[in-house]
Short mmCIF file of all heavy atoms in Angstrom, two decimals:
data_model
loop_
_atom_site.label_atom_id
_atom_site.label_comp_id
_atom_site.label_asym_id
_atom_site.label_seq_id
_atom_site.Cartn_x
_atom_site.Cartn_y
_atom_site.Cartn_z
N LYS A 212 89.67 86.52 93.31
CA LYS A 212 89.73 87.22 92.01
C LYS A 212 89.29 86.27 90.89
O LYS A 212 88.53 86.65 90.01
CB LYS A 212 91.16 87.71 91.73
CG LYS A 212 91.57 88.85 92.66
CD LYS A 212 92.80 89.59 92.16
CE LYS A 212 93.16 90.66 93.16
NZ LYS A 212 94.06 91.68 92.74
N GLN A 213 89.78 85.03 90.95
CA GLN A 213 89.43 84.07 89.90
C GLN A 213 87.93 83.76 89.93
O GLN A 213 87.29 83.63 88.88
CB GLN A 213 90.24 82.77 90.09
CG GLN A 213 90.19 81.83 88.89
CD GLN A 213 90.61 82.50 87.57
OE1 GLN A 213 91.65 83.17 87.50
NE2 GLN A 213 89.80 82.34 86.52
N ALA A 214 87.34 83.69 91.14
CA ALA A 214 85.89 83.42 91.23
C ALA A 214 85.10 84.55 90.57
O ALA A 214 84.07 84.29 89.92
CB ALA A 214 85.50 83.29 92.71
N ILE A 215 85.59 85.78 90.71
CA ILE A 215 84.90 86.92 90.07
C ILE A 215 85.05 86.82 88.55
O ILE A 215 84.10 87.04 87.80
CB ILE A 215 85.45 88.25 90.62
CG1 ILE A 215 85.03 88.38 92.09
CG2 ILE A 215 84.95 89.44 89.81
CD1 ILE A 215 85.81 89.41 92.87
N ILE A 216 86.25 86.46 88.09
CA ILE A 216 86.46 86.31 86.65
C ILE A 216 85.54 85.21 86.09
O ILE A 216 84.97 85.34 85.01
CB ILE A 216 87.95 86.00 86.36
CG1 ILE A 216 88.79 87.24 86.64
CG2 ILE A 216 88.16 85.48 84.94
CD1 ILE A 216 90.30 87.04 86.58
N ASN A 217 85.37 84.13 86.84
CA ASN A 217 84.56 83.00 86.37
C ASN A 217 83.06 83.31 86.39
O ASN A 217 82.28 82.64 85.72
CB ASN A 217 84.77 81.76 87.25
CG ASN A 217 86.19 81.23 87.15
OD1 ASN A 217 86.93 81.60 86.24
ND2 ASN A 217 86.58 80.38 88.09
N ALA A 218 82.65 84.32 87.17
CA ALA A 218 81.21 84.52 87.43
C ALA A 218 80.51 85.28 86.31
O ALA A 218 81.11 86.10 85.61
CB ALA A 218 81.05 85.29 88.75
N ASN A 219 79.21 85.01 86.18
CA ASN A 219 78.33 85.74 85.26
C ASN A 219 77.22 86.43 86.06
O ASN A 219 77.10 86.21 87.26
CB ASN A 219 77.70 84.78 84.25
CG ASN A 219 78.74 84.26 83.28
OD1 ASN A 219 79.52 85.04 82.74
ND2 ASN A 219 78.77 82.96 83.09
N ASP A 220 76.38 87.20 85.35
CA ASP A 220 75.31 87.94 86.02
C ASP A 220 74.45 87.07 86.95
O ASP A 220 74.10 87.47 88.06
CB ASP A 220 74.41 88.65 85.00
CG ASP A 220 73.99 87.77 83.82
OD1 ASP A 220 74.39 86.59 83.79
OD2 ASP A 220 73.24 88.28 82.95
N THR A 221 74.12 85.86 86.49
CA THR A 221 73.21 85.03 87.28
C THR A 221 73.89 84.37 88.49
O THR A 221 73.24 83.67 89.26
CB THR A 221 72.58 83.92 86.39
OG1 THR A 221 73.64 83.28 85.69
CG2 THR A 221 71.58 84.51 85.41
N ASP A 222 75.18 84.59 88.65
CA ASP A 222 75.88 84.05 89.82
C ASP A 222 75.80 84.99 91.02
O ASP A 222 76.40 84.73 92.06
CB ASP A 222 77.37 83.81 89.49
CG ASP A 222 77.52 82.73 88.44
OD1 ASP A 222 76.86 81.68 88.58
OD2 ASP A 222 78.28 82.94 87.47
N SER A 223 75.10 86.12 90.86
CA SER A 223 75.03 87.10 91.94
C SER A 223 73.80 86.83 92.82
O SER A 223 72.70 86.68 92.30
CB SER A 223 74.92 88.50 91.31
OG SER A 223 74.82 89.48 92.30
N VAL A 224 74.00 86.78 94.13
CA VAL A 224 72.88 86.53 95.05
C VAL A 224 72.93 87.52 96.22
O VAL A 224 73.98 88.10 96.51
CB VAL A 224 72.90 85.09 95.64
CG1 VAL A 224 72.66 84.05 94.57
CG2 VAL A 224 74.19 84.82 96.40
N VAL A 225 71.77 87.68 96.87
CA VAL A 225 71.70 88.51 98.08
C VAL A 225 71.33 87.62 99.26
O VAL A 225 70.30 86.95 99.22
CB VAL A 225 70.64 89.61 97.93
CG1 VAL A 225 70.43 90.33 99.26
CG2 VAL A 225 71.08 90.62 96.89
N CYS A 226 72.17 87.64 100.26
CA CYS A 226 71.84 86.94 101.51
C CYS A 226 71.31 87.97 102.50
O CYS A 226 71.86 89.07 102.61
CB CYS A 226 73.10 86.29 102.10
SG CYS A 226 73.68 84.89 101.14
N GLY A 227 70.24 87.65 103.21
CA GLY A 227 69.73 88.52 104.26
C GLY A 227 68.70 89.53 103.79
O GLY A 227 68.37 90.45 104.54
N PHE A 228 68.15 89.35 102.59
CA PHE A 228 67.15 90.31 102.09
C PHE A 228 65.97 90.40 103.04
O PHE A 228 65.42 91.47 103.27
CB PHE A 228 66.68 89.88 100.69
CG PHE A 228 65.94 90.95 99.95
CD1 PHE A 228 66.62 92.00 99.33
CD2 PHE A 228 64.55 90.93 99.86
CE1 PHE A 228 65.94 93.00 98.65
CE2 PHE A 228 63.86 91.94 99.18
CZ PHE A 228 64.56 92.96 98.57
N THR A 229 65.58 89.27 103.64
CA THR A 229 64.39 89.26 104.51
C THR A 229 64.70 89.74 105.94
O THR A 229 63.80 90.00 106.71
CB THR A 229 63.80 87.84 104.60
OG1 THR A 229 64.78 87.00 105.23
CG2 THR A 229 63.43 87.28 103.25
N THR A 230 65.98 89.84 106.27
CA THR A 230 66.31 90.21 107.65
C THR A 230 66.63 91.70 107.78
O THR A 230 66.84 92.19 108.89
CB THR A 230 67.56 89.44 108.15
OG1 THR A 230 68.71 89.93 107.42
CG2 THR A 230 67.43 87.95 107.94
N GLY A 231 66.70 92.41 106.65
CA GLY A 231 67.04 93.83 106.69
C GLY A 231 68.55 94.06 106.67
O GLY A 231 69.01 95.17 106.83
N ASP A 232 69.32 93.01 106.49
CA ASP A 232 70.77 93.17 106.40
C ASP A 232 71.26 92.45 105.14
O ASP A 232 71.95 91.44 105.20
CB ASP A 232 71.44 92.60 107.66
CG ASP A 232 72.92 92.92 107.71
OD1 ASP A 232 73.33 93.88 107.03
OD2 ASP A 232 73.66 92.21 108.41
N SER A 233 70.87 93.00 103.98
CA SER A 233 71.18 92.36 102.70
C SER A 233 72.65 92.51 102.35
O SER A 233 73.20 93.61 102.42
CB SER A 233 70.40 93.03 101.57
OG SER A 233 69.06 93.18 101.88
N VAL A 234 73.26 91.42 101.94
CA VAL A 234 74.65 91.47 101.49
C VAL A 234 74.74 90.73 100.16
O VAL A 234 74.29 89.58 100.04
CB VAL A 234 75.60 90.80 102.51
CG1 VAL A 234 77.05 90.97 102.06
CG2 VAL A 234 75.42 91.40 103.90
N ARG A 235 75.31 91.41 99.13
CA ARG A 235 75.39 90.80 97.80
C ARG A 235 76.78 90.22 97.54
O ARG A 235 77.79 90.85 97.83
CB ARG A 235 75.06 91.83 96.72
CG ARG A 235 75.08 91.22 95.30
CD ARG A 235 74.64 92.21 94.23
NE ARG A 235 73.23 92.58 94.35
CZ ARG A 235 72.22 91.80 94.00
NH1 ARG A 235 72.44 90.60 93.50
NH2 ARG A 235 70.98 92.23 94.15
N GLY A 236 76.78 89.01 97.00
CA GLY A 236 78.04 88.36 96.65
C GLY A 236 77.81 87.23 95.66
O GLY A 236 76.74 87.12 95.05
N LEU A 237 78.83 86.39 95.52
CA LEU A 237 78.76 85.32 94.52
C LEU A 237 78.10 84.07 95.10
O LEU A 237 78.39 83.66 96.24
CB LEU A 237 80.16 84.94 94.04
CG LEU A 237 81.00 86.06 93.42
CD1 LEU A 237 82.31 85.47 92.88
CD2 LEU A 237 80.24 86.78 92.31
N ARG A 238 77.26 83.47 94.29
CA ARG A 238 76.59 82.24 94.70
C ARG A 238 77.63 81.12 94.89
O ARG A 238 78.51 80.93 94.05
CB ARG A 238 75.59 81.85 93.60
CG ARG A 238 74.90 80.60 93.91
CD ARG A 238 73.70 80.36 93.01
NE ARG A 238 73.20 79.07 93.44
CZ ARG A 238 73.06 78.04 92.62
NH1 ARG A 238 73.30 78.15 91.34
NH2 ARG A 238 72.64 76.90 93.12
N ASN A 239 77.53 80.43 96.01
CA ASN A 239 78.43 79.29 96.26
C ASN A 239 77.81 78.40 97.34
O ASN A 239 76.63 78.56 97.68
CB ASN A 239 79.84 79.79 96.67
CG ASN A 239 79.82 80.59 97.98
OD1 ASN A 239 78.79 80.70 98.63
ND2 ASN A 239 80.96 81.12 98.35
N LYS A 240 78.60 77.48 97.87
CA LYS A 240 78.08 76.54 98.87
C LYS A 240 77.52 77.30 100.09
O LYS A 240 76.44 76.97 100.59
CB LYS A 240 79.24 75.63 99.31
CG LYS A 240 78.83 74.36 99.99
CD LYS A 240 80.04 73.43 100.04
CE LYS A 240 80.06 72.69 101.37
NZ LYS A 240 81.34 72.04 101.62
N PHE A 241 78.28 78.31 100.55
CA PHE A 241 77.82 79.08 101.70
C PHE A 241 76.47 79.74 101.42
O PHE A 241 75.52 79.62 102.21
CB PHE A 241 78.84 80.16 102.11
CG PHE A 241 78.19 81.30 102.85
CD1 PHE A 241 77.77 81.13 104.17
CD2 PHE A 241 77.92 82.52 102.22
CE1 PHE A 241 77.10 82.15 104.85
CE2 PHE A 241 77.26 83.54 102.88
CZ PHE A 241 76.85 83.36 104.21
N SER A 242 76.36 80.45 100.27
CA SER A 242 75.12 81.20 100.01
C SER A 242 73.95 80.25 99.80
O SER A 242 72.82 80.55 100.21
CB SER A 242 75.30 82.16 98.82
OG SER A 242 75.37 81.44 97.61
N ASP A 243 74.19 79.09 99.17
CA ASP A 243 73.10 78.11 99.00
C ASP A 243 72.54 77.71 100.36
O ASP A 243 71.33 77.66 100.56
CB ASP A 243 73.59 76.86 98.26
CG ASP A 243 73.77 77.11 96.77
OD1 ASP A 243 73.34 78.18 96.29
OD2 ASP A 243 74.35 76.24 96.09
N LYS A 244 73.44 77.41 101.28
CA LYS A 244 73.03 76.97 102.62
C LYS A 244 72.29 78.11 103.34
O LYS A 244 71.23 77.92 103.93
CB LYS A 244 74.30 76.55 103.40
CG LYS A 244 74.13 76.31 104.86
CD LYS A 244 73.71 74.87 105.13
CE LYS A 244 73.57 74.60 106.61
NZ LYS A 244 72.37 73.91 106.97
N TYR A 245 72.88 79.33 103.26
CA TYR A 245 72.29 80.48 103.95
C TYR A 245 70.88 80.75 103.41
O TYR A 245 69.93 80.93 104.18
CB TYR A 245 73.18 81.72 103.75
CG TYR A 245 72.72 82.93 104.54
CD1 TYR A 245 73.35 83.30 105.72
CD2 TYR A 245 71.64 83.71 104.09
CE1 TYR A 245 72.93 84.40 106.45
CE2 TYR A 245 71.20 84.81 104.82
CZ TYR A 245 71.86 85.16 105.98
OH TYR A 245 71.44 86.26 106.69
N LEU A 246 70.76 80.76 102.08
CA LEU A 246 69.46 81.10 101.48
C LEU A 246 68.42 80.02 101.76
O LEU A 246 67.24 80.33 101.97
CB LEU A 246 69.62 81.32 99.97
CG LEU A 246 70.42 82.59 99.64
CD1 LEU A 246 70.78 82.65 98.16
CD2 LEU A 246 69.65 83.85 100.04
N GLN A 247 68.88 78.78 101.79
CA GLN A 247 67.95 77.69 102.13
C GLN A 247 67.40 77.91 103.54
O GLN A 247 66.20 77.82 103.78
CB GLN A 247 68.71 76.36 102.05
CG GLN A 247 67.81 75.16 102.15
CD GLN A 247 68.63 73.91 102.47
OE1 GLN A 247 69.82 73.97 102.79
NE2 GLN A 247 67.98 72.78 102.39
N GLU A 248 68.29 78.27 104.48
CA GLU A 248 67.87 78.52 105.87
C GLU A 248 67.00 79.78 105.93
O GLU A 248 65.96 79.79 106.59
CB GLU A 248 69.10 78.73 106.78
CG GLU A 248 69.96 77.50 106.97
CD GLU A 248 69.35 76.50 107.95
OE1 GLU A 248 68.33 76.84 108.58
OE2 GLU A 248 69.88 75.40 108.07
N GLU A 249 67.45 80.85 105.24
CA GLU A 249 66.72 82.13 105.30
C GLU A 249 65.27 81.96 104.84
O GLU A 249 64.34 82.43 105.49
CB GLU A 249 67.44 83.19 104.44
CG GLU A 249 66.75 84.55 104.49
CD GLU A 249 67.45 85.62 103.65
OE1 GLU A 249 68.54 85.36 103.07
OE2 GLU A 249 66.90 86.74 103.57
N TYR A 250 65.11 81.28 103.69
CA TYR A 250 63.77 81.20 103.12
C TYR A 250 62.97 80.01 103.67
O TYR A 250 61.84 79.81 103.28
CB TYR A 250 63.83 81.21 101.58
CG TYR A 250 64.20 82.61 101.12
CD1 TYR A 250 65.52 82.96 100.84
CD2 TYR A 250 63.24 83.61 101.06
CE1 TYR A 250 65.87 84.26 100.47
CE2 TYR A 250 63.57 84.91 100.69
CZ TYR A 250 64.89 85.23 100.40
OH TYR A 250 65.23 86.52 100.06
N SER A 251 63.57 79.26 104.61
CA SER A 251 62.71 78.30 105.32
C SER A 251 62.44 78.81 106.74
O SER A 251 62.05 78.05 107.62
CB SER A 251 63.27 76.87 105.27
OG SER A 251 64.64 76.86 105.47
N GLY A 252 62.73 80.12 106.96
CA GLY A 252 62.29 80.76 108.19
C GLY A 252 63.21 80.56 109.39
O GLY A 252 62.77 80.69 110.54
N ALA A 253 64.47 80.26 109.15
CA ALA A 253 65.41 80.08 110.28
C ALA A 253 65.50 81.37 111.10
O ALA A 253 65.39 82.46 110.56
CB ALA A 253 66.79 79.71 109.74
N PRO A 254 65.69 81.26 112.43
CA PRO A 254 65.79 82.47 113.25
C PRO A 254 67.06 83.26 112.92
O PRO A 254 68.05 82.70 112.41
CB PRO A 254 65.86 81.93 114.69
CG PRO A 254 66.20 80.50 114.57
CD PRO A 254 65.80 80.02 113.21
N LEU A 255 67.00 84.56 113.24
CA LEU A 255 68.12 85.46 112.94
C LEU A 255 69.42 84.95 113.55
O LEU A 255 70.49 85.05 112.94
CB LEU A 255 67.78 86.86 113.47
CG LEU A 255 68.71 87.99 113.04
CD1 LEU A 255 68.80 88.09 111.53
CD2 LEU A 255 68.24 89.31 113.65
N SER A 256 69.32 84.36 114.76
CA SER A 256 70.54 83.89 115.43
C SER A 256 71.24 82.81 114.59
O SER A 256 72.47 82.78 114.48
CB SER A 256 70.21 83.36 116.82
OG SER A 256 69.21 82.38 116.73
N THR A 257 70.45 81.94 113.96
CA THR A 257 71.03 80.89 113.11
C THR A 257 71.72 81.52 111.91
O THR A 257 72.85 81.15 111.52
CB THR A 257 69.93 79.92 112.62
OG1 THR A 257 69.22 79.44 113.74
CG2 THR A 257 70.49 78.79 111.80
N LEU A 258 71.04 82.50 111.31
CA LEU A 258 71.59 83.15 110.11
C LEU A 258 72.86 83.92 110.45
O LEU A 258 73.85 83.88 109.71
CB LEU A 258 70.55 84.09 109.48
CG LEU A 258 69.27 83.40 108.98
CD1 LEU A 258 68.26 84.43 108.50
CD2 LEU A 258 69.60 82.42 107.85
N THR A 259 72.82 84.60 111.60
CA THR A 259 74.00 85.38 112.01
C THR A 259 75.18 84.44 112.25
O THR A 259 76.31 84.72 111.82
CB THR A 259 73.70 86.18 113.30
OG1 THR A 259 72.50 86.92 113.08
CG2 THR A 259 74.81 87.13 113.66
N ALA A 260 74.92 83.32 112.89
CA ALA A 260 76.00 82.36 113.17
C ALA A 260 76.55 81.80 111.85
O ALA A 260 77.77 81.63 111.70
CB ALA A 260 75.48 81.24 114.05
N LEU A 261 75.65 81.56 110.90
CA LEU A 261 76.09 80.99 109.60
C LEU A 261 77.01 81.95 108.84
O LEU A 261 77.97 81.53 108.21
CB LEU A 261 74.85 80.76 108.74
CG LEU A 261 74.38 79.34 108.50
CD1 LEU A 261 73.17 79.36 107.57
CD2 LEU A 261 75.48 78.48 107.93
N SER A 262 76.67 83.25 108.91
CA SER A 262 77.41 84.21 108.08
C SER A 262 78.64 84.78 108.77
O SER A 262 79.49 85.40 108.12
CB SER A 262 76.49 85.36 107.64
OG SER A 262 76.06 86.07 108.76
N ARG A 263 78.77 84.53 110.09
CA ARG A 263 79.88 85.14 110.84
C ARG A 263 81.24 84.75 110.23
O ARG A 263 81.52 83.57 110.02
CB ARG A 263 79.83 84.73 112.31
CG ARG A 263 80.83 85.49 113.18
CD ARG A 263 80.58 85.27 114.66
NE ARG A 263 79.28 85.77 115.09
CZ ARG A 263 78.36 85.04 115.74
NH1 ARG A 263 78.61 83.79 116.03
NH2 ARG A 263 77.22 85.57 116.08
N GLY A 264 82.05 85.75 109.91
CA GLY A 264 83.41 85.49 109.44
C GLY A 264 83.51 85.09 107.97
O GLY A 264 84.61 84.87 107.45
N THR A 265 82.38 85.03 107.26
CA THR A 265 82.45 84.52 105.88
C THR A 265 83.05 85.52 104.90
O THR A 265 83.63 85.13 103.89
CB THR A 265 81.05 84.09 105.37
OG1 THR A 265 80.13 85.17 105.62
CG2 THR A 265 80.56 82.84 106.06
#
Side-chain angles (χ1 to χ4, degrees):
K212 291 196 182 195
Q213 193 55 48
I215 292 163
I216 289 172
N217 295 345
N219 290 313
D220 47 0
T221 49
D222 295 314
S223 179
V224 293
V225 171
C226 289
F228 195 78
T229 63
T230 69
D232 189 22
S233 312
V234 184
R235 182 175 294 285
L237 302 186
R238 178 167 178 237
N239 62 5
K240 198 166 141 194
F241 156 74
S242 71
D243 284 350
K244 169 87 179 133
Y245 186 102
L246 291 170
Q247 189 197 10
E248 293 283 353
E249 181 180 355
Y250 288 96
S251 42
L255 190 57
S256 54
T257 306
L258 297 175
T259 308
L261 252 183
S262 64
R263 189 169 297 126
T265 50

